[in-house]
Amino acid sequence: MSKFRKKQNSELPAISTASLPDIVFMLLFFFMVATVMREDTLKIENNLPIADQTEKLDKKNLVMNIYAGKPSSRYAKNVGTQAKVQLNDKFADVKDIKSFILAERDAHREGEIPFLITALKVDGDTNMGLVGDIKKELREVQALKINYTTRQGNATDNRK
């Protein structure tokens, strides 16, 4: 007697996927903005000395990093415990610094080459003989703009 009948097939409606591309691109944009690219993987101990008069470099893309120090415990088994030089992500000899500097210069535009700076990130316990050898190699390729990277603090804290 009733004119209204109950539906036989009561399924839920399909989920609308119209906004799915918007959500995906929003997440992609977020991760592109929030992600920081790592420069180098350190294979050496790098406890930088402390200095009280420091300046921050403006253009990090014009800096060539040379690391020096004892290999970390993870790599000491393979390369020994003597202080080593690290160029980018691999151990190198002091004589490899020339080719490293020349390759870095080739990677930059010619107008930027006079502004390139070599940053020495040397562990506080590293022998100064190694630093002298590095500086000698840098002089031979005319890389005369050298920056010693340190931590900010009181310089008297370097004493042990």
Side-chain angles (χ1 to χ4, degrees), residues 54-72:
T54 61
E55 290 182 29
K56 192 166 185 153
L57 292 176
D58 293 331
K59 296 185 177 182
K60 298 247 181 187
N61 63 337
L62 297 176
V63 177
M64 303 172 287
N65 293 317
I66 298 176
Y67 301 94
K70 292 181 182 178
S72 62

Side-chain angles (χ1 to χ4, degrees), residues 39-44 64-69 84-104 118-121 134 137-138:
E39 288 182 22
D40 295 321
T41 303
L42 284 181
K43 296 183 177 182
I44 62 168
M64 303 172 287
N65 293 317
I66 298 176
Y67 301 94
K84 300 282 184 192
V85 175
Q86 180 182 339
L87 305 173
N88 290 335
D89 286 337
K90 60 184 176 184
F91 289 112
D93 291 328
V94 175
K95 62 184 178 185
D96 297 332
I97 293 175
K98 287 181 192 176
S99 60
F100 170 72
I101 296 295
L102 295 174
E104 288 287 322
T118 306
L120 296 180
K121 296 186 176 186
I134 292 171
E137 293 292 318
L138 292 173

Side-chain angles (χ1 to χ4, degrees), residues 131-150:
V131 176
D133 293 342
I134 292 171
K135 287 174 56 176
K136 181 180 174 188
E137 293 292 318
L138 292 173
R139 269 186 245 122
E140 290 180 11
V141 289
Q142 297 299 314
L144 303 177
K145 290 185 179 182
I146 299 175
N147 172 23
Y148 293 96
T149 305
T150 63

Side-chain angles (χ1 to χ4, degrees), residues 75-87:
Y75 299 101
K77 208 183 316 180
N78 298 333
V79 294
T81 58
Q82 293 293 330
K84 300 282 184 192
V85 175
Q86 180 182 339
L87 305 173

